[in-house]
Amino acid sequence: MTQVNSFSKGLNDGIPICLGYFSVAFAFGIFAVESGLTVWQSVIISLTNLTSAGQLAGVPIITCGGTLTELALSQLVINARYSLMSISLSQKFSPKVKSWDKLLIAYGNTDEVFAVAHSNDGEIGKKYMWGLILLPVIGWTGGTYAGAMAGNILPAEAISALGLAIYGMFIAIIVPVAKKEKKTALCVLLAIALSCIFRYLPALSIVPSGFTVIICAVTASVVFAILAPIDTAEKEGAASE
Amino acid sequence: MNNQKFLLYLLVMAGVTYLVRMIPMVLFKEKIKNKFILSFLHYIPYTVLAVMTVPACFHATGSVFSAVIGFTIAVVAALRGKGLTFVAFLSCGGVFITELVMYALR
């Protein structure tokens, strides 16, 4: 079986991910500072978490003084998909990748890193993974720093407009899949309907934001996993951010 | 926010995120075959993002009106197959111009 274990090939494959991350992290940096975190708090969140949706859900919980339980549960649910990617990726590792190595590699297993690593033919080694993870981490952390700094300098009109950037990106992730898969489209619509109910129905609008995300997303996903299960087992690679 | 309280939040947030990635990678040797779990995990990224986006995005800019314009631009651009970064900044551009026009007309 062929083996991919070149650090420089990893670096190379990580360049486009790094560039994409920089711009998204820029939007996150602005959002985090607007929410009330300092520049360095925003940066260290990005460096230690390395996940867009989880961080975007986590920051309001932190700045609004939510409970640690709410924070932990929201991260668990929102990042649950990584479990599957981690399992899937661990099957592609060469036998030389030990449990000890996985402790480090697991940190960098984002949607895009997973997708790129998984697209290689044959087994992959730890040096390739190190190379692949390095630049995206720099792009994500550096982009957060740039955005957080810009958030302190840019005029209000620009901040207002950039407030939509991270949501625009989420829309760009959801729409193409929803266009292709009717099941996913309907599932997303159900989730949105629930989300609007929780936001605008006075009795439910008191539910903390982290819990709202969990309740709505899990409900819609469970309903559709029962009513409209996905056929192929190969779908695990379809998730991307 | 004060650093001591922040560090506690950070520890929980980063800890959970890391463990979710690490434990299955180190422990699981077998592929998941359960159709329900596979389907659930297929849907969950999209429902999470959708719930976080709508309706929060309508309150993310200076006015609901400019946000709706930006949202619409993003959906149309994404339907036409444009990339993440392009869609994101196009929608921001839409908001920016809409708000400029709104202030000019005021």
Side-chain angles (χ1 to χ4, degrees), chain A residues 41 49-50 53 65-66 79 82 86 91 103 106-107 109 160-161 165 167 179 181 183 195 199-200 221 228-230 238, chain B residues 1 3 9 13-14 17-18 20-21 25 31 39 42-43 46-47 51-55 59 61-62 79 88 92 99:
Chain A
Q41 287 172 342
N49 284 270
L50 209 65
N79 295 329
Y82 292 131
S86 281
Q91 331 232 331
L103 292 182
Y107 153 76
N109 187 20
S160 168
Y167 298 112
K179 189 180 169 188
E181 304 171 7
K183 288 173 181 176
S195 170
R199 172 85 180 223
Y200 297 119
S221 302
I230 301 292
Chain B
M1 128 166 304
N3 275 323
Y9 278 123
M13 190 180 175
T17 304
Y18 175 68
V20 163
R21 285 168 166 153
M25 187 178 280
K31 263 206 163 106
S39 303
H42 169 75
Y43 286 127
Y46 305 110
T47 52
V51 168
M52 288 177 56
T53 304
V54 184
H59 307 283
T61 67
L79 276 174
C92 293
E99 293 188 352

Side-chain angles (χ1 to χ4, degrees), chain A residues 53-201:
Chain A
Q55 290 179 204
L56 193 67
V59 166
I61 297 175
I62 293 173
T63 54
C64 296
T67 63
L68 292 173
T69 314
E70 183 188 359
L71 184 64
L73 276 177
S74 73
Q75 299 305 302
L76 188 65
V77 170
I78 291 168
N79 295 329
R81 65 187 186 285
Y82 292 131
S83 304
L84 191 73
M85 294 178 198
S86 281
I87 294 169
S88 176
L89 198 57
S90 70
Q91 331 232 331
K92 268 192 82 76
F93 289 150
S94 86
K96 284 182 191 159
V97 179
K98 302 296 178 206
S99 292
W100 175 252
D101 301 316
K102 290 178 187 168
L103 292 182
L104 185 62
I105 294 169
Y107 153 76
N109 187 20
T110 68
D111 303 80
E112 288 74 15
V113 165
F114 166 77
V116 170
H118 206 263
S119 67
N120 283 289
D121 288 327
E123 294 179 331
I124 47 181
K126 63 183 174 191
K127 284 185 197 155
Y128 173 78
M129 288 307 297
W130 291 343
L132 182 62
I133 289 167
L134 183 63
L135 290 179
V137 169
I138 292 171
W140 185 247
T141 310
T144 302
Y145 177 75
M149 292 301 282
N152 287 333
I153 313 165
L154 287 175
E157 295 82 11
I159 298 292
S160 168
L162 286 168
L164 208 65
I166 203 155
Y167 298 112
M169 195 196 67
F170 289 164
I171 291 166
I173 292 166
I174 299 167
V175 167
V177 181
K179 189 180 169 188
K180 210 166 58 188
E181 304 171 7
K182 202 178 161 204
K183 288 173 181 176
T184 305
L186 293 172
C187 184
V188 161
L189 286 178
L190 174 61
I192 287 173
L194 292 171
S195 170
C196 290
I197 291 171
F198 270 80
R199 172 85 180 223
Y200 297 119
L201 204 68

